[in-house]
């Protein structure tokens, strides 16, 4: 089999060919060099566009963390609650840490948990009865649990990366600082007021008066859940791109011979079918590899969960496929990677970062299919931060808008094909790579005008010829009546 590549079989095949430095092809070489320089410039624009979109969205997140608010909730109402709240609110505000605020509207730990799960980032709660328990221990009670003083409530299901990098660390760091500061003040007060007749306190409570426990009301930082939706959707998108390019390159006969209404129906149906198949594979992959501790930390995985995953992925893939195919139908081959890069990078960024940690320009990520799909997936997994109406509404609106736009794009593409404006690969008339068997419409019009000019001119008058034998003449007016 490898013998077909033997040089002996190619012997004499190069006899009619010339060197690349030959004068006869110097003009063609010059054209190719110019084309390759243009490709290098386009590639430079594409890589800088991608890098700028990504790093522009993440490079300032460490100095924009104070756009996130976390809350201290005093449910104790005593000395511990007052002092802890004051210490927390006096925490120095820096650009790399969330801002502490106080919430007066919540009346129980369960209410705080429900609020954090629904709309908050996190909260430090001073538990009810903390002051009474500490005073009892300082009065000599044997048992004291310092961790019952405070509860840190977080929700990684809202946005995994931001919660783990900033919110969780801010809650823990602040609680530890408050515990140290409270212990130092209490020990100093004890030393200043201690007398021979004073009752001996519980020294554990004296040295470690306040501690904390952490509760994650919507855990999503386990196994593959932080990256599952991001890389699942990315794999689907990259798989779709290859199919769309193939459709673009092989669709010329359809545009030349098939009715517009059939094409306008065919492409969306094909894209929907492709999205259903690929998102089905993604849902199966998550079902198989979700991890051994999934059910212990997330909501129960049911049959409905599988279908939610499947159809959410379908909506994301369908909207992105429609969007990219609109571009591919009209772009020339050297530009087809640009919309792909400018689509992939913002969509990935919308799932690994959050709008509070990015410049205002990146609020456009609210419209990214990845963002809306990932938000739905996190809600399905954890029940956190429900924005179902907005997410589903955005995806449906994008599908409708992109379908309408694709209909217009198909109409324009068919006109370009039938009039010889563009060829099968997307090169436009006038390009050195353009090749189409359909003549350019302006050339057809010019040929028709030239043909009309080459015909002999018609006589302006009407020639009347009489037949002399019948005595009837149009010339003299004798009609034989």
């Amino acid at each position: 089999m490898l013998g077909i590549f033997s040089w002996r079989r190619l012997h004499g095949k190069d006899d009619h060919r010339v060197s690349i430095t030959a004068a006869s092809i110097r003009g063609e070489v010059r054209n190719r060099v110019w084309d390759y320089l243009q490709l290098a410039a386009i590639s430079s624009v594409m890589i800088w566009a991608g890098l700028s979109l990504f790093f522009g969205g993440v490079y300032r997140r460490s100095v924009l963390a104070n756009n996130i608010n976390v809350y201290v909730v005093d449910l104790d109402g005593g000395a511990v609650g007052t002092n802890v709240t004051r210490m927390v609110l006096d925490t120095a505000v820096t650009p790399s840490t969330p801002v502490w605020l106080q919430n007066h509207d919540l009346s129980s730990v369960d209410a705080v948990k429900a609020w954090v799960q629904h709309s908050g980032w996190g909260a430090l709660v001073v538990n009810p009865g903390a002051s009474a328990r500490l005073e009892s221990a300082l009065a000599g009670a044997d048992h004291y649990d310092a961790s019952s003083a405070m509860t840190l409530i977080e929700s990684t299901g809202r946005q995994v990366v931001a919660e783990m990098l900033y919110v969780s660390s801010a809650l823990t760091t602040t609680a530890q600082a408050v515990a140290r500061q409270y212990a130092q003040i209490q020990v100093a007060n004890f030393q200043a007021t201690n007398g021979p007749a004073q009752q001996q306190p519980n020294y554990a409570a004296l040295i470690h008066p306040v501690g904390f426990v952490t509760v994650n009301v919507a855990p999503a930082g386990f196994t593959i859940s932080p990256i599952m939706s991001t890389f699942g959707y990315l794999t689907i998108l990259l798989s779709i791109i290859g199919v769309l390019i193939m459709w673009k390159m092989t669709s010329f006969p359809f545009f030349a011979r098939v009715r517009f209404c059939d094409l306008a129906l065919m492409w969306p149906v094909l894209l929907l079918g492709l999205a259903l198949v690929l998102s089905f594979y993604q849902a199966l992959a998550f079902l198989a590899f979700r991890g051994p501790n999934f059910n212990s930390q997330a909501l129960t995985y049911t049959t409905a969960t599988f279908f939610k995953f499947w159809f959410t992925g379908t909506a994301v893939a369908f909207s992105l496929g429609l969007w990219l195919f609109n571009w591919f139908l009209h772009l020339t081959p050297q530009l087809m990677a640009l919309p792909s890069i400018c689509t992939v990078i913002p969509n990935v960024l919308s799932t690994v970062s959050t709008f509070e940690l990015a410049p205002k320009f990146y609020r456009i990520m609210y419209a990214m299919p990845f963002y809306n799909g990932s938000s739905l997936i996190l809600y399905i997994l954890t029940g956190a931060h429900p924005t179902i109406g907005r997410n589903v509404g955005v995806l449906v609106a994008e599908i409708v808008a992109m379908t309408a736009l694709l209909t217009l794009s198909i109409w324009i593409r068919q006109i370009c094909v039938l009039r010889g404006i563009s060829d099968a690969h997307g090169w436009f008339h006038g390009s050195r790579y353009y090749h189409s068997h359909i003549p350019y419409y302006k050339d057809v019009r010019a040929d028709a005008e030239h043909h009309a000019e080459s015909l002999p001119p018609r006589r302006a008058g009407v020639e009347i010829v009489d037949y002399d034998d019948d005595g009837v003449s149009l010339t003299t007016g004798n009609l034989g009546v």
Side-chain angles (χ1 to χ4, degrees):
M1 179 178 176
L2 296 178
I4 62 174
F5 301 104
S6 172
W7 187 255
R8 291 174 307 164
R9 293 179 177 270
L10 299 177
H11 181 68
K13 300 293 185 181
D14 273 352
D15 293 346
H16 65 285
R17 298 189 177 98
V18 298
S19 170
I20 197 171
T21 59
S24 59
I25 63 168
R26 191 166 298 165
E28 191 65 27
V29 171
R30 189 183 303 113
N31 291 335
R32 294 292 81 74
V33 170
W34 174 245
D35 290 340
Y36 297 158
L37 289 176
Q38 287 181 324
L39 287 175
I42 293 172
S43 300
S44 299
V45 171
M46 287 191 290
I47 190 171
W48 280 112
L51 293 175
S52 299
L53 284 170
F54 182 78
F55 289 113
V58 299
Y59 91 104
R60 293 194 64 197
R61 66 182 182 183
S62 61
V63 298
L64 293 174
N66 54 14
N67 290 335
I68 295 176
N69 296 328
V70 288
Y71 289 82
V72 57
V73 183
D74 180 12
L75 300 180
D76 174 52
V80 173
T82 301
N83 291 328
V84 169
T85 300
R86 177 181 53 80
M87 293 176 186
V88 170
L89 295 179
D90 289 343
T91 303
V93 178
T94 65
S96 59
T97 58
V99 175
W100 282 98
L101 302 173
Q102 186 174 6
N103 190 310
H104 301 277
D105 301 327
L106 304 172
S107 58
S108 68
V109 176
D110 289 338
V112 179
K113 290 179 180 178
W115 174 77
V116 170
Q117 184 178 25
H118 185 272
S119 58
W121 283 100
L124 186 154
V125 181
V126 184
N127 294 325
S131 296
R133 289 189 293 271
L134 180 59
E135 290 174 1
S136 177
L138 293 176
D142 294 334
H143 178 72
Y144 179 70
D145 183 8
S147 63
S148 64
M150 296 185 296
T151 301
L152 309 184
I153 302 175
E154 59 184 25
S155 172
T156 50
R158 174 164 182 169
Q159 213 288 330
V160 180
V161 176
E163 281 279 353
M164 297 177 71
L165 286 180
Y166 299 102
V167 177
S168 180
S169 61
L171 291 172
T172 304
T173 302
T174 302
Q176 291 172 344
V178 166
R180 289 193 300 268
Q181 186 179 356
Y182 203 104
Q184 292 170 356
I185 294 174
Q186 184 164 270
V187 170
N189 291 338
F190 174 77
Q191 292 174 340
T193 60
N194 189 26
Q198 185 174 356
Q199 185 177 2
Q200 294 300 312
N202 184 324
Y203 286 103
L206 177 65
I207 298 172
H208 186 42
V210 294
F212 61 89
V213 294
T214 301
V215 177
N216 194 340
V217 293
F222 55 92
T223 61
I224 63 171
S225 57
I227 61 172
M228 182 274 300
S229 60
T230 302
F231 286 94
Y233 295 150
L234 179 60
T235 304
I236 291 176
L237 178 57
L238 295 178
S239 301
I240 286 177
I241 288 176
V243 176
L244 296 181
I245 292 176
M246 184 65 181
W247 285 354
K248 158 69 181 289
M249 297 299 181
T250 59
S251 61
F252 189 86
F254 287 139
F255 285 108
R257 303 176 62 183
V258 179
R259 296 182 304 175
F260 162 72
C261 58
D262 295 339
L263 295 177
L265 178 63
M266 179 184 73
W267 294 120
V269 170
L270 288 176
L271 278 169
L272 178 59
L274 180 63
L276 281 168
V277 171
L278 296 179
S279 58
F280 178 73
Y281 295 154
Q282 182 206 17
L284 284 178
F286 183 75
L287 174 64
F289 297 104
R290 63 185 184 275
N293 60 344
F294 176 85
N295 287 331
S296 63
Q297 298 190 55
L299 300 180
T300 303
Y301 195 97
T302 64
T303 303
T305 305
F306 175 82
F307 283 99
K308 291 175 183 177
F309 269 62
W310 182 12
F311 294 134
T312 300
T314 299
V316 172
F318 189 34
S319 61
L320 287 171
L322 291 168
W323 162 258
L324 286 177
F325 200 44
N326 273 293
W327 286 101
F328 289 172
L329 282 177
H330 304 297
L331 291 178
T332 53
Q334 80 270 34
L335 297 176
M336 291 178 69
L338 184 59
S340 302
I341 292 174
C342 294
T343 299
V344 170
I345 298 300
N347 273 279
V348 171
L349 180 61
S350 69
T351 62
V352 301
S353 186
T354 185
F355 312 113
E356 288 83 355
L357 303 177
K360 291 183 179 180
F361 167 77
Y362 287 89
R363 302 294 168 85
I364 62 171
M365 290 192 295
Y366 278 118
M368 296 294 111
F370 273 31
Y371 166 76
N372 291 282
S374 294
S375 298
L376 289 171
I377 294 301
L378 285 174
Y379 174 72
I380 294 168
L381 284 176
T382 68
H385 198 57
T387 54
I388 304 174
R390 183 179 68 191
N391 300 140
V392 174
V394 169
L395 288 173
V396 171
E398 288 177 342
I399 290 173
V400 172
M402 291 302 105
T403 302
L405 186 60
L406 181 60
T407 303
L408 177 62
S409 296
I410 292 172
W411 178 68
I412 295 174
R413 171 66 174 161
Q414 189 166 38
I415 289 178
C416 291
V417 168
L418 295 178
R419 295 188 177 184
I421 298 173
S422 63
D423 63 6
H425 296 155
W427 298 109
F428 290 96
H429 185 270
S431 169
R432 63 172 58 96
Y433 299 112
Y434 171 84
H435 178 74
S436 176
H437 67 275
I438 299 178
Y440 185 49
Y441 75 102
K442 289 186 178 181
D443 294 340
V444 173
R445 186 183 302 168
D447 291 343
E449 293 176 354
H450 177 72
H451 177 71
E453 293 175 355
S454 63
L455 294 175
R458 296 182 178 180
R459 300 181 63 175
V462 177
E463 182 178 359
I464 299 176
V465 178
D466 284 338
Y467 184 63
D468 296 334
D469 295 340
D470 59 2
V472 176
S473 174
L474 292 175
T475 305
T476 60
N478 182 14
L479 301 179
V481 179

